[in-house]
Amino acid sequence: MTGKLWLSQSNRRDLSDGYAVIGLGRFGLAVCEELVRWGAEVLAIDDEERAVDELRQVEPSIEARLVDCTDEEAMREAGVLQVGTVVVAIAGSIEASITATLIAKDAPGSRVKQVIARANSDIHMKMLQRVGADRVVYPLKLQGQRLGEELVRPNLLERLELDADHSIEEILVPETFSGQSLRELNLRRSHHVTVLAAGPQHAFTVNPPASLVLQAGERLVVMGSKEALAALPSE
C-alpha cells in the first residue's frame, strides 16, 4: 500500500480513531502489534528503511512508511496529521522526538487529538510536556504492549494477573453500565466476570449487593479470564 493510497483512503473516511506510531524500535513495534491485535487502524513511520522493512515483514497489515518525522510536510503527506492519536516512540534522538511532538500538536490543520511520547529521562519528559505532549511514558515502566492496550481500553486503571489466563482489573464504569444495578447487568452471566467491588474511588463497596446501582465515573473491580475482561465495554 502506498502513501498516496493511505491519503486517498483518509479523504474518504474518518481517521479520528486511528493511530500513528513514530519510531519503530522495540517499543514502537510492540505498540503497533498490540494496536493491530485490537483491530485498530495504524500508520507506522520511521526514518530508517531497515526498520520499515522489518515491520512490513512482521506485520504486513500495518501501513508502514519511510518518513522524516522532523519534516512537517513529509508528516502531512504521510497522513500522520489526520489520525486521532500519535505515539512518538523515538528512542535515539531527543531532538527528533521533540520536533515530531511539536509538529503533531501544532502543525496547521492537524487533527491529532492526543500525543503520547516516549521519554528517556526526566529532562526529556519535561521538554516533551512543554511542547505539548499530552502524556509521557518511560518504556521501562510501561511496556509498548501495555500502552497499546491502554489506548484501545481507556477505562482500564489497574490489573493484577492471577495466572497466564486470568486477572483482576479495576476499570472505570462504562457509560453503558451507568444507571443500572448489578442485578440488571448480571455480569457473571452476560460477560462471564465476577464483581469484587464497586463504587467511588475512596468509598468502594466490597462484595456489593445486587441492588447496587453503578454510576459513570465510579470504579468497578472485576475478576475473570483475560478474554472475558477484554470484551467488557470501554465506554
Side-chain angles (χ1 to χ4, degrees):
M1 184 184 295
T2 67
K4 289 183 179 180
L5 179 54
W6 171 270
L7 287 172
S8 66
Q9 290 177 333
S10 301
N11 291 332
R12 291 200 303 268
R13 70 175 187 275
D14 182 12
L15 290 175
S16 60
D17 292 329
Y19 301 87
V21 178
I22 303 173
L24 302 180
R26 185 180 304 173
F27 180 72
L29 283 173
V31 174
C32 287
E33 291 172 352
E34 188 67 10
L35 287 171
V36 168
R37 189 173 76 86
W38 287 90
E41 184 95 37
V42 182
L43 169 63
I45 74 170
D46 199 286
D47 61 0
E48 292 190 7
E49 189 170 2
R50 181 170 60 86
V52 172
D53 289 341
E54 287 179 358
L55 177 59
R56 287 171 176 164
Q57 292 175 11
V58 173
E59 189 55 71
S61 65
I62 294 178
E63 166 64 5
R65 300 289 298 155
L66 184 64
V67 178
D68 178 1
C69 68
T70 66
D71 184 329
E72 181 178 319
E73 286 309 309
M75 292 266 277
R76 190 185 309 280
E77 290 176 7
V80 176
L81 304 185
Q82 298 182 37
V83 303
T85 298
V86 171
V87 178
V88 181
I90 299 169
S93 172
I94 292 178
E95 180 181 356
S97 74
I98 292 171
T99 302
T101 299
L102 186 60
I103 290 173
K105 290 295 292 187
D106 289 344
S110 175
R111 299 180 182 178
V112 176
K113 296 177 182 177
Q114 69 168 334
V115 175
I116 301 170
R118 165 188 175 150
N120 300 325
S121 67
D122 288 340
I123 293 177
H124 189 192
M125 175 188 70
K126 291 177 181 178
M127 295 174 72
L128 288 166
Q129 290 172 333
R130 286 181 181 176
V131 297
D134 299 286
R135 181 180 175 190
V136 180
V137 299
Y138 288 91
L140 292 180
K141 296 181 181 179
L142 182 64
Q143 298 301 318
Q145 183 180 19
R146 176 62 187 272
L147 175 59
E149 182 176 8
E150 284 190 7
L151 289 173
V152 292
R153 295 187 64 198
N155 68 330
L156 175 62
L157 301 174
E158 297 287 344
R159 169 187 288 148
L160 172 63
E161 294 195 0
L162 301 176
D163 57 33
D165 300 312
H166 298 82
S167 299
I168 296 174
E169 292 186 353
E170 180 181 342
I171 64 174
L172 289 174
V173 172
E175 288 284 350
T176 52
F177 288 178
S178 182
Q180 299 185 67
S181 69
L182 292 176
R183 178 181 294 108
E184 292 171 319
L185 291 168
N186 197 353
L187 296 180
R188 185 186 292 274
R189 173 179 292 181
S190 62
H191 287 84
H192 309 292
V193 300
T194 300
V195 177
L196 302 180
Q201 181 177 1
H202 301 295
F204 270 138
T205 300
V206 178
N207 192 22
S211 59
L212 181 69
V213 176
L214 301 180
Q215 301 296 336
E218 294 184 349
R219 301 185 177 210
L220 190 63
V221 180
V222 286
M223 177 177 65
S225 69
K226 293 180 180 179
E227 182 179 1
L229 292 168
L232 289 170
S234 60
E235 55 187 16

